[in-house]
Amino acid sequence: MAARIVIASGKGGVGKSSVTAGLACALQNSGHNVLVVDCDIGLRSLDIILGAGADMLFTWGDIIAGRCSCDDALVRTNCGCSLLCAPSEFEDCFTPEAMCSMADEFEERFDYILFDSPAGIGNGFKLASSAANSAIVVATPDSVCVRSGAAAADKLGAMGIKNSRLVINRFDRKATIKGKRLNIDDVIDSTCLRLIGVVPQDNVLSFNMTCGKLLPKRSPSAAAFSRIASRLEGKRVPLEID
């Protein structure tokens, strides 16, 4: 049985897709078989981030609409995980029930299925969350993003997803000390979510993700994603902030 995790944020621009990609690669590197589903209809980015754009012929929308098989739509990425790209336009057949049925087709083939939710808490968010049984909410340490993350967590709870965890992204220790960013405890208290990891501000992450390049294994962000992956596996890993 695959662990089905929706990666959500509420507000856009928090690096949610980068976190999805980094976590997928970390889980794959740990020996798991990982599937990533880009749910950002019309604004997909994971094919570029994961270096798979040139190989895309079909999307998960084509699976649901019956235009291709499940295998036809799978794309191999630069880190070895599989990707289902998002369709360019919404269709009436894209329903929560259809998304769940499609995920069921991959249930036995993958250890983890990560659903990268679009920004906001509208229909795209509900569609991405419909096939998940747990969630990771991504927030940067500022009041606007934290409030949006809390709203996303509330919506997830209303949909029946009770196991939601928090990733604080783009954490800058120096900015926090100077009072320009919220500290970790403030973010946890405001979202009312249990922390699963902190990803530091990392220019290498920003550059490599826009170019479809793998993260250096010794980069601070790669180390952070590895720790988050270990915690998802049930391992006890001390909180470290690079």
Side-chain angles (χ1 to χ4, degrees), residues 13-15 18 139-141 168-172 181 199-202 206:
V14 302
S18 295
T140 51
I168 301 175
N169 193 31
R170 297 175 183 160
F171 182 78
D172 187 329
R181 293 284 189 179
V199 181
Q201 179 69 43
D202 186 354
S206 301

Side-chain angles (χ1 to χ4, degrees), residues 72-209:
D72 288 337
L74 285 175
V75 178
R76 203 69 172 172
T77 69
N78 57 9
C79 70
C81 70
S82 297
L83 171 67
L84 289 175
C85 297
S88 58
E89 295 181 349
F90 182 84
E91 298 183 44
D92 291 340
C93 59
F94 299 168
T95 64
E97 294 76 16
M99 182 66 82
C100 288
S101 295
M102 182 195 70
D104 288 343
E105 294 296 320
F106 295 102
E107 179 78 19
E108 301 299 327
R109 300 169 59 180
F110 293 93
D111 302 311
Y112 290 89
I113 303 177
L114 306 183
F115 299 89
D116 184 37
S117 173
I121 52 176
N123 290 333
F125 166 85
K126 294 176 182 177
L127 187 64
S129 305
S130 61
N133 49 36
S134 63
I136 290 176
V137 176
V138 181
T140 51
D142 62 84
S143 298
V144 173
C145 291
V146 167
R147 178 188 291 177
S148 299
D154 288 343
K155 283 288 185 181
L156 289 165
M159 293 178 65
I161 299 177
K162 305 301 183 182
N163 183 20
S164 294
R165 305 288 291 275
L166 171 68
V167 166
I168 301 175
N169 193 31
R170 297 175 183 160
F171 182 78
D172 187 329
R173 186 193 299 271
K174 292 181 179 179
T176 301
I177 292 173
K178 293 179 180 178
K180 296 181 179 180
R181 293 284 189 179
L182 299 176
N183 64 42
I184 291 174
D185 289 337
D186 289 337
V187 178
I188 294 172
D189 291 343
S190 297
T191 58
C192 298
L193 292 172
R194 194 166 67 154
L195 184 68
I196 194 171
V198 178
V199 181
Q201 179 69 43
D202 186 354
N203 292 334
V204 173
L205 171 64
S206 301
F207 175 78
N208 283 32
M209 290 296 183

